[in-house]
Amino acid sequence: MAKNSSKHAVVTGASSGIGAATVRKLRADGWDVVAVARRADRLAALARESGAVAFVADVTKDDDVAALATFVAANGGLDTLINVAGGARGVDPVATAQAADWDWMYQVNVVGTLKMIQAFLPALRENGRGTVLNLTSTAGLAAYEGGSGYNAAKFAQHAITNALRLEEVENNLRVIEVAPGLVATEEFSLNRLGGDKAAAKKVYAGVAEPLTAEDVAEVVSYAVGLPHHINLDQIVIRPVAQAANHKLVRKG
């Protein structure tokens, strides 16, 4: 099968985890990549390692996103936007959830995705064979106890993805959603649990083979590398040990 011949991508959330793994995988597959994140030191290291172009930006800030769009347009443009930036804070039930945590999650997962899409949509439309891939979560497909804030944010991002596909099909825009389940990364659970390393470790305890960031990056690269006429609308990826959000096999 012929591969996608357009290989100019912008990847957000690139300083760690799935975002960084996606940058590495795309570069290995021959893509030109602009890697975007807030942490300049991590981005610089990733750029040296992978050959990606680093751009420091906060996807929730208008000025940062506008500067990024200007930079990309002046340096070859893009045909593929991959929105990985996101995260979770807290595992509180609705009764005691912190509004500040919810606000942060909504801004990073939802508003940041919106700002990035709006900034690059004109260029993707002009390209005529553009792709947007949003990394959501199985938390956006089924709610679970203690997940309400993250559920709400990821359900919203899932809805944006579906609406965008309907709105932009006339512009030949390919819109893909990748929704991972349990992924063991260095920072996700640690950040969600307020830096508690012991609690973060328990999230993955007894799970023989949770997904890795590299597993998800493999799927992302495959989806955007397919010929443009093939749209993988939604890809749900879980470890075998996780049959559903509420069904996870732990041993030992």
Side-chain angles (χ1 to χ4, degrees):
M1 181 181 293
K3 295 290 186 180
N4 177 15
S5 60
S6 299
K7 290 194 170 187
H8 302 277
V10 172
V11 180
T12 70
S15 61
S16 67
I18 295 170
T22 297
V23 171
R24 294 186 187 101
K25 176 58 178 170
L26 291 177
R27 287 293 299 147
D29 289 347
W31 288 69
D32 295 324
V33 180
V34 177
V36 182
R38 293 176 295 110
R39 292 178 287 184
D41 56 340
R42 284 175 169 258
L43 272 186
L46 178 64
R48 288 192 298 270
E49 172 195 346
S50 67
V53 175
F55 194 96
V56 178
D58 183 334
V59 299
T60 69
K61 294 183 177 179
D62 290 338
D63 289 346
D64 283 15
V65 173
L68 171 62
T70 299
F71 175 82
V72 171
N75 289 274
L78 85 164
D79 46 71
T80 301
L81 171 62
I82 301 176
N83 290 305
V84 179
R89 281 189 180 175
V91 290
D92 302 311
V94 172
T96 57
Q98 302 297 308
D101 289 343
W102 282 50
D103 183 65
W104 182 87
M105 286 186 281
Y106 194 84
Q107 289 295 319
V108 173
N109 293 284
V110 184
V111 177
T113 296
L114 173 65
K115 290 180 183 295
M116 287 294 296
I117 291 171
Q118 289 180 334
F120 287 103
L121 196 52
L124 292 168
R125 286 170 173 169
E126 184 179 356
N127 179 280
R129 297 175 69 83
T131 297
V132 173
L133 185 148
N134 290 337
L135 188 87
T136 63
S137 169
T138 55
L141 307 178
Y144 54 89
E145 293 171 291
S148 57
Y150 189 54
N151 290 144
K154 286 301 186 181
F155 264 90
Q157 193 184 30
H158 164 71
I160 289 173
T161 307
N162 285 349
L164 182 68
R165 188 180 302 113
L166 294 170
E167 293 165 355
E168 295 297 327
V169 64
E170 282 82 7
N171 294 312
N172 201 33
L173 186 70
R174 180 170 63 170
V175 181
I176 302 167
E177 176 182 9
V178 174
L182 185 71
V183 185
T185 62
E186 58 182 313
E187 293 188 320
F188 179 82
S189 290
L190 190 64
N191 290 339
R192 185 175 196 175
L193 297 168
D196 186 331
K197 293 182 180 180
K201 188 175 181 179
K202 288 181 181 179
V203 172
Y204 313 105
V207 181
E209 291 183 283
L211 296 179
T212 66
E214 289 72 24
D215 292 333
V216 181
E218 186 80 29
V219 172
V220 170
S221 179
Y222 176 79
V224 299
L226 287 170
H228 188 269
H229 71 282
I230 301 173
N231 195 98
L232 300 180
D233 286 15
Q234 182 186 79
I235 307 166
V236 177
I237 169 174
R238 306 180 196 265
V240 172
Q242 186 183 36
N245 286 356
H246 63 279
K247 178 69 173 181
L248 179 64
V249 175
R250 300 181 189 270
K251 296 181 180 180

